[in-house]
Amino acid sequence: MTAELVADCPRCPANQITFTALSSVRNKRVDHDWVTYHDVFCQCRNCLKTTVFVLRQSEYDDRKIIAEKGPLAFGDSLNNHFTIAGHVSLKDMATVQPPDSLPDEIETVFREGATCAAMQCWNAAGTMFRTALDLATRPMLPPAEAEQPEGLNSKVRRDLGLRLPWMFKHRYLASDLQELSTCIHQDGNDGAHQGTLTKEDVDDLLDFTHALLTRLYTEPAKLQAAKARRDERRAPQQAVESQLKED
């Protein structure tokens, strides 16, 4: 039996039309250690044009058959086993991947920025990268209800262009990143609101955003993973030593 998928066709006006699933390739992305993603090549039965859909595994009990035979092995609709995460289009031209270990919200915003940059939507890309920086740095500030350090007022809290210099000055952020941060103007007049950002502006924003997020999230996660591996290696010896002490 031919595998089928029901979806809106990206290439014709048909909604909730049946597609014939012709082939599939497993994507490298995996969520929660079991949710797999698959690129499925499908043909619309209305316009007969083809689309590559990205399908996300939805049923935990399907993991064995998917691993052994792939998505097309199911005899019923693929919609019963997968959700449609999207389809391959110009947005997939984005070549810059987000740093590892980002919170989901920040990763989503970074990916949107990279997609906008790939499509040469410079102002939209700049706005997304600024949003990622805002989401990452705002929680690092002292609580508003606590006694406020010198120079930290409501305007500094609100304005990314003022917040970053304050955070560098008071060592909330590593000083070696400060030179890259000059792409965020203190007066907020960096073109994002005026619609005048250029490719060079966005490249600078991208470099700083990627470097800062790597420092804040990726490097600590790698250190934590290394510590966990070390503790795992030492656990048997520590158990023996503990037993000897008890004896």
Side-chain angles (χ1 to χ4, degrees):
M1 180 177 178
T2 304
E4 297 178 345
L5 178 73
V6 177
D8 295 342
C9 182
R11 305 187 65 182
C12 76
N15 294 323
Q16 293 299 290
I17 190 71
T18 300
F19 286 78
T20 302
L22 303 173
S23 62
S24 69
V25 176
R26 178 168 173 172
N27 196 302
K28 291 183 178 180
R29 180 177 177 182
V30 178
D31 293 342
H32 311 299
D33 295 326
W34 67 271
V35 179
T36 57
Y37 287 75
H38 303 263
D39 296 344
V40 182
F41 183 60
C42 300
Q43 184 179 40
C44 173
R45 292 185 180 175
N46 181 59
C47 66
L48 301 182
K49 295 178 181 178
T50 55
T51 299
V52 177
F53 285 99
V54 181
L55 302 188
R56 182 183 189 271
Q57 180 183 345
S58 59
E59 299 298 324
Y60 180 79
D61 293 338
D62 290 339
R63 64 194 189 283
K64 184 175 181 180
I65 188 170
I66 291 174
E68 292 179 353
K69 299 181 180 180
L72 305 194
F74 293 105
D76 55 348
S77 172
L78 293 178
N79 301 82
N80 294 329
H81 309 276
F82 301 87
T83 57
I84 299 174
H87 64 276
V88 177
S89 63
L90 282 175
K91 63 180 174 59
D92 297 290
M93 291 173 58
T95 57
V96 180
Q97 295 300 309
D100 294 332
S101 306
L102 297 184
D104 291 342
E105 183 180 20
I106 296 177
E107 179 179 341
T108 297
V109 171
F110 185 96
R111 288 185 182 277
E112 287 187 22
T115 297
C116 291
M119 298 178 70
Q120 300 184 18
C121 299
W122 309 126
N123 298 298
T127 299
M128 288 298 99
F129 291 138
R130 284 182 62 98
T131 301
L133 292 169
D134 186 66
L135 292 171
T137 57
R138 190 182 293 269
M140 299 173 65
L141 296 174
E145 60 273 12
E147 182 178 353
Q148 298 303 291
E150 178 185 358
L152 182 58
N153 53 42
S154 59
K155 187 173 182 180
V156 172
R157 285 182 175 276
R158 183 177 62 253
D159 192 322
L160 181 66
L162 298 176
R163 186 192 316 149
L164 290 176
W166 186 92
M167 295 182 76
F168 281 117
K169 180 180 179 180
H170 292 83
R171 299 183 180 180
Y172 283 83
L173 298 173
S175 59
D176 59 342
L177 295 174
Q178 189 164 6
E179 184 177 355
L180 284 176
S181 73
T182 56
C183 59
I184 306 293
H185 294 193
Q186 290 193 34
D187 59 4
N189 185 25
D190 56 11
H193 302 298
Q194 288 73 29
T196 58
L197 287 183
T198 65
K199 179 181 185 302
E200 289 71 24
D201 296 327
V202 171
D203 286 343
D204 289 345
L205 276 166
L206 171 58
D207 284 344
F208 175 56
T209 305
H210 197 283
L212 182 63
L213 296 180
T214 299
R215 189 68 58 87
L216 294 180
Y217 297 104
T218 309
E219 293 179 3
K222 286 182 177 179
L223 289 174
Q224 186 175 5
K227 182 180 182 300
R229 290 193 298 269
R230 184 198 65 182
D231 293 344
E232 185 177 356
R233 289 192 297 268
R234 293 175 179 268
Q237 180 62 30
Q238 290 174 347
V240 170
E241 292 174 356
S242 177
Q243 185 63 44
L244 290 175
K245 288 180 181 179
E246 292 178 2
D247 295 340

